[in-house]
Amino acid sequence: MPKMKTKSSAKKRFKVLGGGGVKRSHAFKRHILTKKTTKTKRQLRGTSMVDASNMKSVRAMLPYA
């Protein structure tokens, strides 16, 4: 049986942590930042965890993580 392929887009966007959670960065922080408020941009800094409702699809994209 051949190996399953990891989705290249997923491996660039997600990091699997030791406890089983998946870390992700926030959306809407890349461009067109002039019209966004300072508060909005500040709250989009850092990382957050993938929600439980999306975990099944993220795990399918990262079979060996």
Side-chain angles (χ1 to χ4, degrees), residues 10-56:
K11 72 183 175 188
K12 293 169 188 172
R13 287 170 171 80
F14 303 112
K15 271 303 172 219
V16 179
L17 304 177
V22 181
K23 189 169 74 167
R24 67 171 180 88
S25 58
H26 289 107
F28 307 110
K29 187 67 171 66
R30 292 291 180 190
H31 62 119
I32 316 174
L33 296 172
T34 51
K35 63 177 76 168
K36 293 170 187 153
T37 63
T38 309
K39 180 183 177 182
T40 305
K41 291 184 279 192
R42 184 173 62 245
Q43 288 175 342
L44 291 173
R45 278 185 209 148
T47 57
S48 59
M49 302 300 287
V50 171
D51 195 68
S53 58
N54 299 319
M55 194 63 84
K56 187 179 175 184

